[in-house]
Amino acid sequence: MPPHLLDGEPHQHVDRPRRVRHAGEPLRIGIGGPVGSGKTALVAALCRRLRDELSLAVLTNDIYTTEDADFLRRNAVLPDERIAAVQTGGCPHTAIRDDITANLDAIDDLIAGNDQLDLILVESGGDNLTATFSSGLVDVQIFVIDVAGGDKVPRKGGPGVTFSDLLVINKTDLAPMVGADLDVMRRDAAVVRGDRPFVLISLTEDPGASLVLDWVHQQLRVPV
């Protein structure tokens, strides 16, 4: 077992303060993770499942392009006016954690342009395991990794893996092709996360991301 699991000391973390969300405000869910982990595909899946029951919008972050927003528009997961993009011009974590002004402005525009939103999904640009969202930007955050990175990723920890409100281990269908052991990933995720939830999914096998959708529904039921 890796050293940080042998020393007997649990990971220390003080829960971040939550954004004060007022009645009538949409829930904001941040979705972060490394490049290629499947964040945009997950956002698309959630939009397809939720768009008939909720009023929702999506805000994407890319460094120099609007690639992720363009993908969502091309696939018509939501009307164009419900999809916005921020070009960060630098490390993605800067715009979601350190200087969130551009994202806050874009959220204000989405709220102003769409009647009574229930939910806004804020997708980060691809970043590393240290990426987290400011509590001033989102209410809860999902962190997405995939098995192509190897079964060692959960035990590497980092704020995204360890302290996100939900960890998603994606592309489980690729495990045999890359030699990843899903039982190892499941075990290590349980160790580093304690009682924080995580799910293993494959959007190929379950295009509706049912386990993540269930978690989103739970968050929507939490009273303001």
Side-chain angles (χ1 to χ4, degrees), residues 13-68:
H13 176 68
V14 177
D15 283 333
R16 64 192 179 97
R18 298 283 174 154
R19 183 179 74 91
V20 177
R21 178 174 160 234
H22 301 288
E25 284 189 329
L27 176 71
R28 304 179 196 171
I29 298 180
I31 300 178
V35 173
S37 58
K39 299 183 299 298
T40 308
L42 177 61
V43 169
L46 292 174
C47 287
R48 293 187 184 103
R49 294 291 299 272
L50 291 166
R51 63 192 177 191
D52 292 332
E53 64 176 279
L54 297 173
S55 176
L56 74 153
V58 173
L59 174 59
T60 68
N61 282 239
D62 278 300
I63 298 177
Y64 299 120
T65 69
T66 58
E67 178 71 25
D68 292 337

Side-chain angles (χ1 to χ4, degrees), residues 42 142-143 145 166-170 172 186 189 193 196-202 209-215:
L42 177 61
I142 297 170
F143 197 78
I145 60 174
L166 177 69
L167 174 66
V168 174
I169 301 172
N170 193 20
T172 55
R186 188 178 290 108
R193 288 183 60 79
R196 295 173 183 269
F198 66 92
V199 295
L200 284 76
I201 69 168
S202 164
S210 300
L211 294 174
V212 182
L213 182 70
D214 290 345
W215 182 86

Side-chain angles (χ1 to χ4, degrees), residues 158-178:
V161 169
T162 305
F163 300 124
S164 57
D165 297 286
L166 177 69
L167 174 66
V168 174
I169 301 172
N170 193 20
K171 305 183 186 179
T172 55
D173 54 298
L174 298 182
M177 303 174 198
V178 298

